[in-house]
Amino acid sequence: MVRSSFILTKFASIVILGSMILFLDPQVSAQNKIQLSIDTAKPGPKIDRNIFGQFAEHLGYGVYEGIWVGSDSKTPNTRGIRNDVVAALKALKVPNVRWPGGCFADEYHWRKGIGSRAVTLNPNWGGVVEPNTFGTHEFMDFIDQIGSQAYLSINVGSGTPQEAAEWLEYLTTPLPTTLQKERAANGHPAPYQIPMLGIGNESWDCGGNMTPEYYLRQLTIYSRFVRNFNPAQQGDQQMMKIAVGPGGGEARWTEWTDTIMKAWEKRQWSWDMQGLSMHNYTVINWGNKFASVGFGEKEYSQILKETLKMEDLVTRHAAIMDKYDPEKKIALVVDEWGSWYAPLPGSNPGFLVQQNSMRDAILAALNLNVFARHAERVRGANIAQMINVLQAMIMTDKEKMVLTPTYHVFKMYVPFQDATLIPVTFNAGTYTNGDITLPGVDAIAAKDTSGKLWLELTNVDPTNAVEIEVSLTGSNANSATGETLTASKVDSVNTFDAPDAVKPRRVSARAQNGKLTIKLDPKSVSVVSIS
Ligand code: AHR
């Protein structure tokens, strides 16, 4: 994708655009003008780049076809991994990829995916044959090709502590053990780095239907024996062990978080964890899910209302964590989130194939902003999923590939990776549809590692444009450069035939007397740098 940008200096704005936008744009009424101030004197916490993590499960076409085509494929590839997908993902600077699941991880036996492969089954997802041609080495090659890092999910459901411990020894030891020699014989003498390790997945459900107490026993055992031996990952650089955490809004999840955190506070030297996972999908009725295409404003507002529950969920579980961990040593890692709609007609229902629309772009921005505002506690998140599954970045069909609206949002947010959160003050206004009223606008600001100031603005209202008048405390705002993502309809999508229906374009901004005015189109996500 070619990025276009628009820089407007203070002087140019007065002469060229001065009042043009105001008088020529009938969509912006007096009520739709919002003052927003950015307080650069009060920097907040770092927005951990790991909140922009991805999730690639052996599910439908997520791995096979989406990532792996095999070296004999006519789809251009490097060692079996498709080049078009790698190039697109590189641009997102994906910080980590969670793999191999999901529920798939709860039944995954790593030895079947190294050396001569065992052909097994994937009972969770469509009951199809699992060839295991994409295994440990192929995954590590993939994340290396896209410039990312590994977040491995180990099998606590049907595996054993010994199996998981041996996987980590195989991956990380530099010493000449039998497992190290086997790794070298399989092409990788040097130890791999594994920065993140999930100890189980949804152990309360597909991961083994465990009670919080039973899972806690598993956690302490796995945490004790599954070690990372890579010398580069000791001390400060140690691998983050992430425990299974809550799975949504029901009351039972309070008990789960409480049980794990209370035990952690009283832990002995022999076990530890650095993260607690949380899963939360945007879905309204599991039995009769919403469609991902062909919907109107009613479903748009219903889904956005549902997704905003993420704020309350994070707040509630962060408060429980604060009770036992006031220093916020344990990260909350929302390692499965995103929209979950009905499978596309004609697709295998076990493959979770859905389209990705402008609604999903807004949904992604709203959730990323929740995570950023909770940056002190939320230090990881993984959208579900990366390719061809649920709220995907990319969709493929044989050698064709298309980037989704959600992909564009993740690309626009790259400057927020490891940036410092800067407080913004604004009156969000409201957007109402029927009996649903939502905040009309959302925004976050941050300074990137080079000191550049960035502002993200989401206009939730699908019909009315908004003008944001931005002021900086302590300095003037002289210019804005940036992109906006919008579309003609709430359900606009990119397809293989029309891949650019939803695509970023330059943002409309002007500067005057130390203030910036940025026009937000209806249903849009904008990111600008301000100087
Ligand atoms: O992302 C699809 C599935 O949703 C995952 O496998 C599981 O962890 C969750 O229930």
Side-chain angles (χ1 to χ4, degrees), residues 319-333:
I320 303 170
M321 295 173 82
D322 283 349
K323 233 173 37 172
Y324 303 106
D325 173 29
E327 291 174 54
K328 302 191 194 304
K329 288 185 176 160
I330 305 292
L332 185 59
V333 181

Side-chain angles (χ1 to χ4, degrees), residues 55 57 59 98 101-106 124-125 201-202 204-206 279 281 286 336 340 352 384-385 389-390:
F55 174 34
E57 179 166 13
L59 194 176
R98 182 169 178 256
C103 298
F104 181 82
D106 299 314
N124 278 294
W125 304 118
N201 167 76
E202 300 197 349
W204 29 260
D205 189 5
C206 71
H279 289 183
Y281 285 97
W286 282 102
E336 286 188 29
W340 192 322
L352 312 187
Q385 297 194 3
V389 176
L390 299 176

Side-chain angles (χ1 to χ4, degrees), residues 26 61 63 82 91 104 152-153 188 270 283 314 318 346 381 394 441 484 521:
Y61 301 116
V63 168
R82 37 190 314 164
F104 181 82
L152 282 193
S153 194
H188 209 276
S270 54
V283 55
V314 168
I394 293 174
V441 165
T484 191
D521 286 328

